[in-house]
Amino acid sequence: MLNLLKKLPALMTKPNFIIVGVARCGTTSLFHYLNQHPQIGFPKKKEPKYFSAIHLKFPQRGVGDETVDEKIVKDFDEYKSLFKGLDNYKMIGEASSDYFFYHKNTIPEIRKTLGDIPIIISIRNPIERSYSAYNNLVRDGRETLSFKVALDKEEERIREGWDWMWAYKKGSLYAEGIEAFKGNFSKVKVILFEELQDNPLNVLHEVEIFLGLQKFNDYNTSVKYSPSGNPKNPLIKLISSRNSKLINVLRTTVMSIFPRKTLETIAKGFFAKGEIDEDVKMNLKNYFKKDIVQTEKLIEKSLDFWK
């Protein structure tokens, strides 16, 4: 009997909840805040993107997309290894902000591998999310077009196989994805970025209830993660660029040495965002109008402040 047990494969330590996105909606902050809870364990690697990678074609063809591709976990054994040592946590989390965008592919893969687990979705004013995604790529030295021209180029870029982050408008449509996750998972929590910004402790306590955890009162929510925008000086522009292999190696080394919250605090004052042109804003309002109404119904909460 003992020999038989030895031959059985070890049970996989795996996530029992996932933050599926949306990128630029506070998912990084949510990851770092929840990681402070004594009953929650996350792997060190945020954004493994394994369940989206299964159906993606590599290499992705956008400017600097190779720096995204090289960090994606494409092998199941590697994915499993991320969660080793997390057995003692009541809830084991994973956070990949593109799972929402690729929901048609990721939902079946997540259900097949992890089962009917709790799903957390974070959304924000779609115009602000679109502009934040744009500024994220500006910060990295990958986006060189104006916001208006970049929006016009979106469909072409998607057809050519660029990473989803370049889908500024389509990446800010929420209704279809929320409906799909709610239709396939019995527990889905939708968080508003604006509420996470204004009252993070309240949102975190809501997540605790959602996940069935004890209340934790010692969160440090002072750091706002992942600032974006135009670098304010040439040195910061050089350091933040993803177009240099040497700089990428340097950045990876620095991030492995210093705590993320320290780097975020330093970086906060180094980037600036301009205003969105009024004609662009009006076009986006019209583009998102129907989706906002549909999203309101799905989450049963007024989004008038987005309108």
Side-chain angles (χ1 to χ4, degrees), residues 50-63:
Y50 170 73
F51 292 109
S52 51
I54 293 172
H55 295 278
L56 281 177
K57 292 182 179 179
F58 297 103
Q60 298 186 96
R61 302 191 177 278
V63 178

Side-chain angles (χ1 to χ4, degrees), residues 43-275:
K44 291 181 179 180
K45 184 181 184 67
K46 180 182 178 287
E47 306 271 10
K49 301 184 178 181
Y50 170 73
F51 292 109
S52 51
I54 293 172
H55 295 278
L56 281 177
K57 292 182 179 179
F58 297 103
Q60 298 186 96
R61 302 191 177 278
V63 178
D65 280 356
E66 67 277 1
T67 65
V68 176
D69 293 353
E70 65 190 17
K71 295 178 182 178
I72 294 175
V73 175
K74 307 177 184 72
D75 177 75
F76 185 57
D77 287 335
E78 183 184 353
Y79 181 73
K80 289 191 296 183
S81 71
L82 297 175
F83 306 96
K84 287 182 179 178
L86 298 178
D87 312 62
N88 293 328
Y89 291 98
K90 180 177 180 179
M91 300 304 296
I92 301 170
E94 200 251 88
S96 293
S97 61
D98 69 342
Y99 288 170
F100 186 86
F101 183 79
Y102 293 118
H103 62 269
K104 290 180 181 178
N105 292 328
T106 59
I107 286 174
E109 298 294 347
I110 293 170
R111 280 299 307 251
K112 181 174 67 176
T113 305
L114 304 179
D116 184 13
I117 61 172
I119 298 294
I120 297 176
I121 301 167
S122 184
I123 60 177
R124 75 189 287 188
N125 180 311
I127 296 177
E128 295 298 325
R129 197 222 74 89
S130 300
Y131 195 46
S132 181
Y134 165 80
N135 276 290
N136 188 62
L137 296 177
V138 169
R139 178 199 66 191
D140 292 346
R142 297 164 67 192
E143 179 62 89
T144 58
L145 303 178
S146 70
F147 188 40
K148 182 176 183 177
V149 175
L151 291 172
D152 292 338
K153 284 280 188 179
E154 179 171 321
E155 290 292 339
E156 178 183 332
R157 287 168 162 178
I158 293 173
R159 285 196 304 271
E160 291 177 353
W162 292 35
D163 178 61
W164 87 274
M165 187 62 81
W166 300 90
Y168 304 134
K169 292 190 297 183
K170 284 196 171 181
S172 304
L173 295 171
Y174 307 132
E176 182 184 293
I178 292 173
E179 186 172 24
F181 274 103
K182 287 173 76 74
N184 286 277
F185 295 88
S186 57
K187 292 187 68 176
V188 177
K189 172 75 174 173
V190 179
I191 290 169
L192 298 184
F193 168 84
E194 293 83 1
E195 292 180 352
L196 181 64
Q197 290 283 96
D198 293 343
N199 196 340
L201 290 179
N202 186 59
V203 171
L204 293 170
H205 291 324
E206 286 181 5
V207 172
E208 290 167 351
I209 294 170
F210 173 71
L211 295 176
L213 301 175
Q214 296 174 1
K215 188 173 183 179
F216 181 63
N217 292 312
D218 294 327
Y219 292 108
N220 177 0
T221 60
S222 59
V223 180
K224 308 302 179 187
Y225 289 85
S226 196
S228 63
N230 228 321
K232 290 184 178 180
N233 65 60
L235 178 60
I236 299 303
K237 186 173 183 177
L238 176 64
I239 294 172
S240 61
S241 172
R242 289 200 181 190
N243 293 326
S244 165
K245 289 186 177 180
L246 178 61
I247 294 299
N248 282 331
V249 171
L250 176 61
R251 178 174 37 230
T252 301
T253 303
V254 169
M255 292 184 74
S256 68
I257 296 173
F258 296 98
R260 176 72 183 261
K261 63 181 180 181
T262 301
L263 297 175
E264 295 286 356
T265 301
I266 294 171
K268 184 170 60 176
F270 289 153
F271 301 95
K273 295 180 184 176
E275 294 294 322

Side-chain angles (χ1 to χ4, degrees), residues 29-47:
S29 293
L30 193 60
F31 170 87
H32 287 286
Y33 297 161
L34 288 175
N35 204 23
Q36 299 170 42
H37 195 291
Q39 292 180 293
I40 296 178
F42 280 106
K44 291 181 179 180
K45 184 181 184 67
K46 180 182 178 287
E47 306 271 10

